[in-house]
Amino acid sequence: MKKVKLPLTVLFILIVSFEAISSKNSKPFQTTPWISPASACIIKSPLAGNTTAAPAGKLLYVKYCVVCHGNAGKGDGVAAPALAIPPADHSSVKVQSETDGSLYWKITTGRGAMASYKSTLTDQQRWQLVSYIRTLAAVKKIK
Ligand code: HEC
């Protein structure tokens, strides 16, 4: 038995050290900008102008999103410090300058710690969340 164990131990150490080296050298893919496809960005919200959408979205946001994105969407939820890539700040100009279609696509698709909500939430609920995210803008649009 001893004869088998030694080569196995050596193999194990080799695999573990290889993993450690390769994960140090490879950039985590999340550090690259997250860009929605143009075909998704041009999609208009079916709930545009619907005044009940944002309040409905708020209820969903509190239930599903606040844990990471925080109460005001600033990316400072209780789970945020544990994440390698910080949750997006939904009040930021960067997020607010994205189209409704782009935000909807990201909520639908997900990336890394940001899960896909395609099967958890209905299309309507995901658009309601987009409507609510608009109310979180730090710099409000003057209409
Ligand atoms: C487990 C933590 C977590 C939860 C829960 C979560 N998110 Fe995220 N979210 C993230 C992280 C991390 C990112 C950044 C992902 C990246 O850039 O790779 C992100 C990014 C986003 C973005 C993209 C912002 C941008 O412009 O790039 C949107 C939109 C978003 N989240 C919406 C939501 C909504 C809506 C919910 C609730 C239904 C939610 N998130 C729940 C962690 C979370």
Side-chain angles (χ1 to χ4, degrees), residues 37-50:
S39 56
C41 293
I42 57 169
I43 297 173
K44 300 265 181 286
S45 172
L47 302 179
N50 179 326

Side-chain angles (χ1 to χ4, degrees), residues 1-13:
M1 264 312 258
K2 265 193 182 154
K3 272 184 184 164
V4 183
K5 265 186 190 163
L6 185 65
L8 278 181
T9 311
V10 171
L11 186 68
F12 178 75
I13 291 169

Side-chain angles (χ1 to χ4, degrees), residues 3-141:
K3 272 184 184 164
V4 183
K5 265 186 190 163
L6 185 65
L8 278 181
T9 311
V10 171
L11 186 68
F12 178 75
I13 291 169
L14 278 177
I15 291 170
V16 169
S17 43
F18 178 76
E19 292 277 317
I21 292 164
S22 57
S23 63
K24 244 186 206 167
N25 292 343
S26 67
K27 258 192 187 173
F29 76 97
Q30 287 99 331
T31 56
T32 57
W34 190 11
I35 299 163
S36 308
S39 56
C41 293
I42 57 169
I43 297 173
K44 300 265 181 286
S45 172
L47 302 179
N50 179 326
T51 52
T52 62
K58 182 177 185 169
L59 298 178
L60 295 165
Y61 197 86
V62 169
K63 190 170 174 193
Y64 294 100
C65 321
V66 156
V67 61
C68 288
H69 290 281
N71 274 322
K74 293 196 180 299
D76 57 357
V78 286
L83 302 174
I85 303 297
D89 176 354
H90 291 155
S91 72
S92 68
V93 172
K94 186 184 164 288
V95 170
Q96 291 295 331
S97 61
E98 289 192 43
T99 65
D100 286 350
S102 175
L103 297 176
Y104 175 80
W105 183 84
K106 289 182 178 182
I107 297 166
T108 305
T109 313
R111 184 172 91 154
M114 171 67 201
S116 156
Y117 287 88
K118 194 183 167 85
S119 51
T120 320
L121 303 171
T122 64
D123 290 2
Q124 163 145 324
Q125 287 176 316
R126 279 174 275 133
W127 283 118
Q128 287 170 339
L129 282 163
V130 172
S131 298
Y132 179 63
I133 288 173
R134 291 300 177 208
T135 70
L136 298 172
V139 182
K140 304 273 184 223
K141 261 195 209 159

